[in-house]
Amino acid sequence: MRTLLFATALIVLSQYTYGRKIEGIIIANGAPREVTFDIKVPLLADEPNFERIQYKVRYYDENGKKQTLHPDDADEIRFEYDGMEVRMVSCLNTIGAGGMFSVSNRIFLKLEIDGPLRLYRYYYKQTNPGYYGAGGGFSGGMTYTVDNLIFQKGNGPLKQPRSLGWKKDMLDYFRDCPALRERLERKDLRRKEIEAIVLYYNQHCARE
């Protein structure tokens, strides 16, 4: 019983956030502007609530007035969090992402690797339903944040690799790069080596 109560308390606390004022930059129409962001951080986490930032972020303007920025309003936002440089790039939402924070056709995605082939990290919530245990007791469901890696060639549409048929999907996506397709066929590069796949493409396959 105590274990269940403790787990429930952790779940409840994990839903709470607090704001941190962090200096950063908004880039709109190619022009940078320095602002102070109000970055929301989950109480029990060690990084910002990136899922929420994907859809909106609050900041203080030059007059100290609090404003709300949506992905339609900027090209990119940048800030540093505990030594981590964060770039959230505004992308046309071609992966069907959405939620209670979404009010536009674009989404801020966290940039992991820049180049002709970009790699982004997309955050979303996943829920495990509750269940009845062997003793008849009910265990409540849990909601938690997970992430997926997303590709983008140039300014093209976002590409979320399929879970099923991953290899076939990637061979089709990288049909413009025979050398990379060959490495995927030989299993020199695998599903867990997404960063290496992106770096290989940018070094050997990207067209000038």
Side-chain angles (χ1 to χ4, degrees):
M1 184 64 179
R2 288 183 178 178
T3 302
L4 178 60
L5 289 174
F6 181 70
T8 302
L10 287 179
I11 295 171
V12 172
L13 286 173
S14 68
Q15 306 305 311
Y16 287 91
T17 62
Y18 64 94
R20 281 186 58 175
K21 293 183 178 181
I22 298 177
E23 302 299 317
I25 295 174
I26 295 173
I27 300 176
N29 299 318
R33 177 162 61 108
E34 294 184 358
V35 299
T36 299
F37 289 112
D38 180 24
I39 300 297
K40 300 302 181 184
V41 182
L43 193 60
L44 300 180
D46 58 359
E47 67 177 23
N49 186 343
F50 288 119
E51 183 197 5
R52 180 167 182 167
I53 298 174
Q54 289 175 154
Y55 305 105
K56 68 178 180 180
V57 62
R58 296 182 185 273
Y59 70 95
Y60 296 91
D61 63 18
E62 58 274 11
N63 297 317
K65 186 176 180 180
K66 203 170 189 178
Q67 306 283 355
T68 299
L69 183 80
H70 294 104
D72 285 336
D73 304 326
D75 305 323
E76 179 180 341
I77 63 172
R78 301 182 183 184
F79 60 90
E80 187 173 304
Y81 182 85
D82 289 349
M84 172 178 61
E85 183 180 357
V86 177
R87 294 179 61 187
M88 305 283 291
V89 178
S90 176
C91 302
L92 188 63
N93 184 4
T94 58
I95 57 173
M100 62 183 296
F101 305 117
S102 180
V103 296
S104 72
N105 293 321
R106 304 184 71 84
I107 183 173
F108 283 127
L109 291 179
K110 184 172 178 286
L111 182 65
E112 298 290 338
I113 298 177
D114 199 0
L117 175 64
R118 284 182 161 185
L119 183 66
Y120 299 102
R121 195 173 296 276
Y122 162 58
Y123 297 82
Y124 62 99
K125 279 192 169 55
Q126 190 164 294
T127 301
N128 283 344
Y131 62 91
Y132 286 95
F138 181 77
S139 178
M142 289 183 60
T143 299
Y144 50 93
T145 300
V146 294
D147 61 79
N148 278 344
L149 292 173
I150 306 291
F151 297 124
Q152 184 185 35
K153 292 178 182 175
N155 294 317
L158 301 174
K159 171 61 178 177
Q160 184 169 337
R162 297 176 186 169
S163 297
L164 297 176
W166 179 87
K167 183 177 177 181
K168 182 179 179 181
D169 188 33
M170 291 296 93
L171 289 174
D172 181 63
Y173 186 66
F174 292 118
R175 60 185 178 275
D176 60 330
C177 182
L180 178 54
R181 283 168 54 95
E182 183 177 345
R183 297 203 66 182
L184 291 169
E185 285 277 21
R186 296 201 311 256
K187 297 183 179 180
D188 293 339
L189 292 171
R190 299 172 182 264
R191 185 194 299 251
K192 294 182 179 180
E193 299 172 293
I194 296 296
E195 290 87 351
I197 290 172
V198 173
L199 292 175
Y200 186 91
Y201 181 96
N202 287 339
Q203 292 172 4
H204 302 282
C205 309
R207 297 175 181 175
E208 298 295 335

